Amino acid sequence: MPDFVSNDQGDLFSPAGFFGCVLRGIGQVMLQNNGYAGFLFVAGVCYNSPLLGTALLLGAMVSTATAIALGADRTLIQAGLFGFNGGLVGIALLVFLQTQWMTWGYLILAAIFSSIIMTAMLSLMSAIKLPVLTMPFVMASLCFILAAAGLSHLQATSSLPPTGFPQYLIAPGNVTLLTIAKGIFNGIGQVFFQENIVTGILFTLGLAISSRIACAAALSGSLAGLLVAWSMGAAESAIGSGLYGFNNVLVAIALSSFFQKPRSVVLAYIILAMLVTPIALAAMTAALQPLGLPTLTLPFILITWLFLLAGEGFSKIHIEKSQN
Amino acid sequence: MPDFVSNDQGDLFSPAGFFGCVLRGIGQVMLQNNGYAGFLFVAGVCYNSPLLGTALLLGAMVSTATAIALGADRTLIQAGLFGFNGGLVGIALLVFLQTQWMTWGYLILAAIFSSIIMTAMLSLMSAIKLPVLTMPFVMASLCFILAAAGLSHLQATSSLPPTGFPQYLIAPGNVTLLTIAKGIFNGIGQVFFQENIVTGILFTLGLAISSRIACAAALSGSLAGLLVAWSMGAAESAIGSGLYGFNNVLVAIALSSFFQKPRSVVLAYIILAMLVTPIALAAMTAALQPLGLPTLTLPFILITWLFLLAGEGFSKIHIEKSQN
Amino acid sequence: MPDFVSNDQGDLFSPAGFFGCVLRGIGQVMLQNNGYAGFLFVAGVCYNSPLLGTALLLGAMVSTATAIALGADRTLIQAGLFGFNGGLVGIALLVFLQTQWMTWGYLILAAIFSSIIMTAMLSLMSAIKLPVLTMPFVMASLCFILAAAGLSHLQATSSLPPTGFPQYLIAPGNVTLLTIAKGIFNGIGQVFFQENIVTGILFTLGLAISSRIACAAALSGSLAGLLVAWSMGAAESAIGSGLYGFNNVLVAIALSSFFQKPRSVVLAYIILAMLVTPIALAAMTAALQPLGLPTLTLPFILITWLFLLAGEGFSKIHIEKSQN
């Protein structure tokens, strides 16, 4: 494996040092400060779509370079904290906007913007000791996707949800064993907005290399999200494509990483989060329907913040929070 | 009156101690740390609808039990601060969603969730020394009601406002003395989402037992909300059913409870809040119309927060704020 | 020029002292603590519309008087910080609501409310050391405009955007040199919601009297907003009428005023803000379309907050922030 995949915290200005930050940044999409995981995540995206793989790398490079150029905290840059938002912005813009020359410039600007938002939020959230998570990605992406409506040189793809008033689902379709098998791995693939089982498996391998707990959390999270959604009558297509899984995957990884020792009450607390996350997803999907916007990782962010904040106030939980 | 209505701060794990917390929790819906008030509030809801009375008790019990199980602050539990959000969630879900078996499980999960949000917000708001008020109820209820759109095992009732773009009201209808008489007591009943004059009178009695100032504030608040709405041409049906009253009732109780000594400038300040609250309600009603959501007690929360925060900066007001 | 235009910080209760605060308050709309600038801004608005000029003065007087009556911080009142939100509220309500007797009372109440929000936000934002900017104006105006939908004595004008789902722009129209020439000065005029070139020129003069840097920032900001919007295919009508300019004008004035010494990296940082502001405007315009609301100065506020907050975390920027 090439040298720059290493986790060595080298010189930011050497190519190897820079690419190390970028790959760890891509690893941080699943909260892994690990270049090998990042490498497998890139591989997984490229397997499904070389175009999106390129957008992922470009976005992560631009946002990391922005942080270096403006003098952000060196330790945070080396931990990849300025790569994951830009990388996800890169994928999201090419999924939801048509790929024209203008789109690439737009993508670069959005990736730069994501590092401004990241720095602003790091300062804001440090006061309440919460990790920023992927909020800068969500804010930059929703802003740039929504803005395209008024800017005729940018046009949406059919991946954007149609605008409309929320409507009650009547016929959800039949969930089969195949739906569940697909759903588990698509749920992991959808963390990078990829609906592809092989991609999901490559991501799982990347997680396994970095942390067995994170890998187990991701698989159980994907399954949990899917089962909760199914039990409440969510649409079969959404379940099979992993849409009800990926926020649960991220919540499970995030909450399990904030523990010191697993105890049964903490496990119950995480299971509670698993039950609530698909409901938050369904709510936000309806809330964004008049604007025709995807929810991205917003349910993950809000549920994780809530459970981390509340954890502090419950003497039986006392989750240890790390900076992110 | 049975023993558990007493305000004795007994053992949380004894049935009497637990039910005491639950009833004080229901009292806290109108900011009364008083089990007798809570008992009369339950009676008022049951008079209008035994089903909703059951939902109120169940929600308050579940959210209080959650707080005990996870180890929330014992003093807060005993003051009923983990009961009122769950109790209101219980009513709101059965008012706006069809009562099926699944709905009861959904209600229990939402009540548990309200205690997570409460604890998270207590931690967040303590920094700015603002009371949480009924925000956890609003967040949990809107999330669970909106989510039902994508979950086919849950269906809305006709109580939910229809989705649509906000439209300017042309013909508000004639306000008569009967509208006003009904409106005053319905405005108090609507604090628990009950449109029933006897229920409103029972609530008023409950308040009178707990605090004469709160009772006077509630009656004047309900009248003020109604008169302001009427003078600006609000719909007669909304005025008569108390929809323009209940947020004013709560704002009046909340602001009057944060005083030390009433002075004329403070009275003017509260009257100002009475004038602005119906406008905030009309605005939020329009804002939530594309999603077909009710505003619940959101106007009360935001106006109270604003006036408490601002009170600190005005040397002639200096409202004393208590933790909630 | 009359005595009360002077910047002398006299007695608040004398007519001259009071009018000094009001005029400096109107100057603060463009972040100028300068009564002469305020006087020229009033003149500019009156040139376009004596009615709106009256509303501006009335709003600023009411919000300033509210702050005095409730005992807000004297230094802030004298710096005009309780005038600009009320003044802008006055204009916005008469632009978007039909002028009836009721509307003037509504305007006065909204201006009073803007001083409550200002005081609340000063207390809230002081913790994170961010200026409040025109957020109280935006909150009070959007609340009162939206509320009018449910209050039949108040009716909207045709200036309000029609409600609807965001739609992708196909034919933006041809931008000519005339569009650009008009756009630059309209962009400055639109800070007070005036589409009038002479008004824009009077505002520019007012800025020049107060601060050459602010004047240069305003002109370059207006041009930058227009060029960015044009390059991305925004509608010609929006460009020519200055709608893509005024938020950039304010961001440029605000960010340039927070410097100590201009350096090239800081200049690049401001240019970045110039690139992002029109995109934020396009996004918020789409986001508010289902409610048929104008974005007012919301893009300015959010982008300025983001860049100020982030500036603290970038060692190469370190913007000095002043209280506002």
Side-chain angles (χ1 to χ4, degrees), chain C residues 161-174:
Chain C
T163 56
F165 297 117
Q167 283 186 316
Y168 276 76
L169 182 66
I170 307 292
N174 279 328

Side-chain angles (χ1 to χ4, degrees), chain A residues 225 228-229 231-232 234 244 247-248 272-286 299 303, chain B residues 93 102 105-107 109-110 113 139-151 154:
Chain A
V228 172
S231 73
M232 292 183 177
Y244 272 101
N247 282 287
N248 278 68
L272 186 58
M274 292 296 104
L275 288 169
V276 172
T277 303
I279 294 169
L281 171 70
M284 291 177 206
T285 302
I303 293 294
Chain B
L93 288 199
M102 176 64 96
Y106 203 62
L107 184 162
L109 186 57
F113 190 40
M139 288 169 69
S141 299
L142 291 188
C143 175
F144 274 62
I145 293 169
L146 196 50
L151 304 170
L154 298 152

Side-chain angles (χ1 to χ4, degrees), chain A residues 94-124:
Chain A
L94 287 204
V95 166
F96 296 112
L97 298 180
Q98 290 174 24
T99 313
Q100 299 161 337
W101 277 113
M102 176 62 97
T103 317
W104 290 98
Y106 203 61
L107 184 162
I108 289 170
L109 186 57
I112 294 173
F113 190 41
S114 78
S115 280
I116 306 287
I117 303 177
M118 181 68 181
T119 307
M121 290 198 71
L122 280 168
S123 146
L124 208 59

Side-chain angles (χ1 to χ4, degrees), chain A:
Chain A
M1 209 166 281
D3 205 43
F4 56 79
V5 188
S6 122
N7 290 322
D8 178 43
Q9 315 265 320
D11 179 13
L12 284 180
F13 295 99
S14 74
F18 180 72
F19 273 95
C21 295
V22 168
L23 285 182
R24 283 189 297 278
I26 293 170
Q28 288 282 12
V29 169
M30 298 229 204
L31 293 98
Q32 307 305 309
N33 182 1
N34 186 302
Y36 299 103
F39 184 81
L40 272 163
F41 296 166
V42 174
V45 175
C46 285
Y47 175 87
N48 185 47
S49 158
L51 180 77
L52 295 179
T54 309
L56 169 62
L57 275 168
L58 178 63
M61 285 165 63
V62 168
S63 58
T64 303
T66 303
I68 295 172
L70 292 173
D73 185 309
R74 201 187 158 87
T75 322
L76 301 181
I77 296 173
Q78 282 175 327
L81 289 191
F82 285 96
F84 66 97
N85 287 298
L88 286 173
V89 162
I91 293 180
L93 289 199
L94 287 204
V95 166
F96 296 112
L97 298 180
Q98 290 174 24
T99 313
Q100 299 161 337
W101 277 113
M102 176 62 97
T103 317
W104 290 98
Y106 203 61
L107 184 162
I108 289 170
L109 186 57
I112 294 173
F113 190 41
S114 78
S115 280
I116 306 287
I117 303 177
M118 181 68 181
T119 307
M121 290 198 71
L122 280 168
S123 146
L124 208 59
M125 306 293 279
S126 71
I128 47 172
K129 289 180 193 147
L130 279 183
V132 173
L133 304 175
T134 45
M135 197 61 171
F137 150 61
V138 170
M139 288 170 68
S141 299
L142 292 188
C143 175
F144 274 63
I145 293 170
L146 197 49
L151 305 169
S152 61
H153 294 180
L154 296 152
Q155 295 293 326
T157 64
S158 59
S159 299
L160 264 195
T163 56
F165 297 118
Q167 283 186 317
Y168 275 77
L169 183 66
I170 307 293
N174 277 328
V175 171
T176 64
L177 261 179
L178 183 66
T179 313
I180 291 174
K182 280 194 311 179
I184 290 176
F185 288 103
N186 279 337
I188 295 176
Q190 289 281 9
V191 173
F192 285 84
F193 308 102
Q194 310 299 308
E195 184 179 341
N196 184 308
I197 293 171
V198 176
T199 298
I201 292 172
L202 284 168
F203 291 175
T204 311
L205 285 176
L207 280 174
I209 288 172
S210 171
S211 152
R212 287 192 189 179
I213 290 176
C215 184
L219 285 167
S220 346
S222 189
L223 181 63
L226 181 156
L227 292 179
V228 172
W230 181 27
S231 73
M232 292 183 177
E236 191 271 345
S237 59
I239 292 172
S241 62
L243 288 178
Y244 272 101
F246 72 101
N247 282 287
N248 278 68
V249 165
L250 289 167
V251 171
I253 296 176
L255 292 186
S256 67
S257 77
F258 288 111
F259 293 149
Q260 303 235 286
K261 307 170 198 154
R263 279 160 298 142
S264 62
V265 65
V266 168
L267 209 69
Y269 194 65
I270 297 185
I271 289 172
L272 186 58
M274 292 296 104
L275 288 169
V276 172
T277 303
I279 294 169
L281 171 70
M284 291 177 206
T285 302
L288 290 176
Q289 216 159 320
L291 300 178
L293 285 179
T295 55
L296 304 176
T297 51
L298 201 51
F300 150 58
I301 298 165
L302 299 182
I303 293 294
T304 304
W305 281 349
L306 269 178
F307 277 76
L308 287 180
L309 261 176
E312 228 175 304
F314 290 130
S315 62
K316 306 242 169 93
I317 306 288
H318 267 319
I319 290 176
E320 297 290 321
K321 292 184 303 179
S322 72
Q323 287 292 37
N324 182 336

Side-chain angles (χ1 to χ4, degrees), chain C residues 84-249:
Chain C
F84 65 99
N85 287 298
L88 286 172
V89 162
I91 294 181
L93 288 199
L94 286 205
V95 166
F96 296 112
L97 298 180
Q98 291 174 24
T99 313
Q100 299 161 336
W101 277 113
M102 175 64 94
T103 318
W104 291 98
Y106 203 61
L107 185 162
I108 289 170
L109 186 57
I112 294 173
F113 190 40
S114 78
S115 280
I116 307 287
I117 304 179
M118 181 67 181
T119 307
M121 289 198 71
L122 280 168
S123 147
L124 207 59
M125 305 294 280
S126 70
I128 47 173
K129 288 177 194 149
L130 279 183
V132 172
L133 304 174
T134 45
M135 197 62 172
F137 149 60
V138 170
M139 288 169 68
S141 300
L142 292 188
C143 175
F144 274 63
I145 293 170
L146 197 50
L151 304 169
S152 60
H153 293 180
L154 297 151
Q155 295 292 326
T157 64
S158 60
S159 299
L160 263 196
T163 56
F165 297 117
Q167 283 186 316
Y168 276 76
L169 182 66
I170 307 292
N174 279 328
V175 171
T176 63
L177 262 178
L178 184 67
T179 313
I180 291 174
K182 281 193 312 180
I184 290 176
F185 288 103
N186 279 337
I188 296 176
Q190 289 282 9
V191 173
F192 284 85
F193 308 101
Q194 309 300 309
E195 184 180 342
N196 183 307
I197 293 171
V198 175
T199 298
I201 291 171
L202 284 169
F203 291 174
T204 312
L205 285 175
L207 280 174
I209 288 171
S210 170
S211 151
R212 288 190 189 183
I213 290 177
C215 184
L219 285 167
S220 347
S222 188
L223 181 64
L226 178 158
L227 292 179
V228 172
W230 181 26
S231 74
M232 292 182 178
E236 191 271 345
S237 59
I239 292 172
S241 62
L243 287 179
Y244 271 102
F246 72 101
N247 283 285
N248 278 66
V249 165

Side-chain angles (χ1 to χ4, degrees), chain B residues 10-158:
Chain B
D11 179 12
L12 285 181
F13 295 99
S14 74
F18 180 73
F19 273 95
C21 295
V22 168
L23 285 182
R24 284 189 297 276
I26 293 171
Q28 288 282 10
V29 168
M30 297 226 203
L31 293 97
Q32 307 306 309
N33 182 1
N34 187 303
Y36 299 103
F39 184 81
L40 272 163
F41 296 166
V42 174
V45 175
C46 285
Y47 175 86
N48 185 45
S49 158
L51 179 77
L52 295 180
T54 310
L56 169 63
L57 275 169
L58 177 63
M61 285 166 63
V62 168
S63 58
T64 302
T66 303
I68 295 172
L70 292 172
D73 186 308
R74 201 188 157 88
T75 322
L76 301 181
I77 296 172
Q78 283 177 325
L81 290 191
F82 286 95
F84 65 98
N85 286 298
L88 286 173
V89 162
I91 294 181
L93 288 199
L94 287 204
V95 166
F96 296 111
L97 298 180
Q98 290 173 25
T99 312
Q100 299 162 336
W101 277 112
M102 176 64 96
T103 318
W104 290 98
Y106 203 62
L107 184 162
I108 289 170
L109 186 57
I112 294 173
F113 190 40
S114 78
S115 280
I116 307 287
I117 303 178
M118 181 67 182
T119 308
M121 290 197 71
L122 280 168
S123 147
L124 207 61
M125 305 295 279
S126 70
I128 46 173
K129 288 179 193 149
L130 280 183
V132 172
L133 304 174
T134 46
M135 197 61 171
F137 149 61
V138 170
M139 288 169 69
S141 299
L142 291 188
C143 175
F144 274 62
I145 293 169
L146 196 50
L151 304 170
S152 59
H153 293 179
L154 298 152
Q155 296 293 327
T157 64
S158 60

